[in-house]
């Protein structure tokens, strides 16, 4: 199961679905609640009160309901906010393995991480009305998500992936809902970071990985050089996907 992050459409997994199905996996990539339309259509509805109502706990419950209907516990692959959701789902013992790509960190490890907190504030407008969604401007997309990409690629990904986001769900990053028990035994987890990720830096991803302390659990980490926050749609995405596929053959 692929789990999307904030600000982007679930269509970001299109090529990943083809890749993993060619490896024999059955895949699903459910959109977040109220985000099933095409990105251009969702942008036209901005500000969208339904998307604006999304919270971390409601999105988490939504994925739990989907997983409850599956024939077996799925392998979970998530990007950005989707990585945090995967950490929480693995904590609830609902996945057979979790891959967190450029993961948003849990609330109990970001209190004094000023660079990350600044990035969240800068991309969320969280001090304005929560009844309306936030639509990230192109310049911020260039800086936080698609740095290292050509202008043409930045523009294409912005137009084909960007969607309005809930301000409440970004505020929830800092609340107890997003807390992880790093001592608890868990199914295998792989943390992937990008050396050029400005939004969730490689050092932040490594700290997230290193917080896990259960000696009876598998927790792994891999940093990809020149990868940005949008690495799942960057030119080298297939290298990352291949690494994940190989990792899965070793631990499943």
């Amino acid at each position: 199961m692929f789990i999307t992050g904030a600000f982007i459409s679930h269509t970001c997994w299109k090529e990943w679905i083809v890749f993993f199905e060619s490896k024999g996996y059955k895949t699903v990539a459910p959109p977040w609640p109220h985000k099933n339309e095409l990105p251009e259509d969702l942008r036209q509805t901005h500000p969208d009160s339904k998307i604006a109502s999304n919270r971390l706990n409601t999105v988490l419950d939504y994925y739990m309901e989907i997983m409850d209907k599956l024939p077996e516990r799925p392998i979970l692959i998530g990007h950005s906010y989707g990585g945090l959701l995967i950490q929480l789902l693995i904590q609830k013992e609902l996945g057979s393995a979790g891959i967190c790509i450029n993961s948003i960190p849990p609330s109990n490890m970001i209190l004094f991480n000023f660079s990350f907190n600044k990035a969240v504030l800068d991309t969320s407008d969280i001090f304005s009305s929560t009844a309306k969604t936030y639509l990230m401007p192109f310049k911020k997309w260039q800086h936080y998500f698609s740095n290292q990409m050509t202008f043409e690629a930045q523009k294409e990904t912005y137009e084909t992936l960007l969607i309005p986001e809930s301000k409440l769900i970004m505020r929830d990053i800092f609340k107890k809902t997003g807390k992880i028990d790093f001592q608890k035994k868990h199914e295998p987890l792989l943390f992937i970071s990008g050396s050029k990720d400005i939004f969730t830096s490689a050092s932040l991803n490594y700290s997230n990985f290193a917080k896990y302390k259960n000696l009876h659990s598998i927790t792994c980490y891999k940093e990809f050089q020149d990868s940005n926050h949008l690495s799942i749609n960057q030119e080298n995405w297939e290298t990352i996907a291949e690494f994940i596929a190989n990792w899965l053959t070793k631990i499943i």
Side-chain angles (χ1 to χ4, degrees), residues 5-231:
F7 304 110
I8 66 173
S9 166
H10 65 291
T11 56
C12 66
W13 298 112
K14 181 172 59 175
E15 292 176 302
W16 285 70
I17 288 170
V18 173
F19 178 90
F20 276 94
E21 288 187 349
S22 73
K23 301 281 187 183
Y25 292 96
K26 294 180 180 179
T27 67
V28 289
W32 284 17
H34 317 302
K35 293 184 176 183
N36 197 32
E37 306 300 323
L38 293 172
E40 54 266 35
D41 295 330
L42 289 173
R43 289 196 297 270
Q44 288 178 3
T45 67
H46 170 71
D48 188 315
S49 59
K50 290 182 178 179
I51 293 177
S53 69
N54 277 345
R55 304 296 299 263
L56 173 53
N57 59 343
T58 56
V59 174
L60 191 64
D61 288 345
Y62 163 81
Y63 278 105
M64 289 170 62
E65 289 177 12
I66 294 173
M67 294 168 70
D68 190 52
K69 296 179 175 65
L70 298 177
E72 57 187 354
R73 289 191 306 165
I75 297 166
L76 303 170
I77 301 178
H79 171 251
S80 192
Y81 208 113
L84 173 59
L85 289 167
I86 284 175
Q87 287 183 255
L88 294 167
L89 291 166
I90 290 292
Q91 180 169 255
K92 293 177 179 293
E93 303 178 8
L94 296 175
S96 60
I99 297 93
C100 306
I101 305 170
N102 304 337
S103 186
I104 294 288
S107 61
N108 49 326
M109 65 163 288
I110 58 175
L111 183 60
F112 298 109
N113 194 295
F114 298 111
S115 61
F116 173 72
N117 295 345
K118 179 181 180 296
V120 173
L121 293 174
D122 201 27
T123 55
S124 307
D125 194 23
I126 65 173
F127 295 115
S128 60
S129 171
T130 58
K132 297 180 179 181
T133 46
Y134 174 76
L135 191 64
M136 187 186 298
F138 179 58
K139 285 187 177 180
K140 291 185 179 181
W141 177 265
Q142 287 179 294
H143 179 68
Y144 287 108
F145 274 60
S146 60
N147 60 303
Q148 301 297 114
M149 299 168 76
T150 65
F151 177 82
E152 290 74 19
Q154 290 176 329
K155 197 70 175 175
E156 180 186 1
T157 53
Y158 184 81
E159 292 174 351
T160 59
L161 296 177
L162 181 79
I163 57 178
E165 192 49 79
S166 163
K167 298 170 190 175
L168 290 169
I169 205 163
M170 297 308 295
R171 294 184 184 188
D172 287 345
I173 291 172
F174 303 97
K175 297 185 177 180
K176 290 182 179 179
T177 318
K179 185 177 180 180
I180 291 292
D181 179 359
F182 292 106
Q183 305 292 334
K184 183 180 179 180
K185 187 177 180 181
H186 59 81
E187 296 294 349
L189 275 171
L190 170 63
F191 287 86
I192 288 178
S193 70
S195 66
K196 301 299 183 182
D197 187 348
I198 293 174
F199 194 69
T200 56
S201 67
S203 61
L204 183 59
N205 276 274
Y206 182 82
S207 296
N208 197 352
F209 148 75
K211 279 280 188 180
Y212 282 86
K213 300 297 184 182
N214 190 283
L215 297 177
H216 303 288
S217 303
I218 297 171
T219 316
C220 302
Y221 174 82
K222 173 67 175 178
E223 178 180 332
F224 284 87
Q225 295 300 309
D226 300 320
S227 287
N228 61 15
H229 191 66
L230 198 64
S231 58

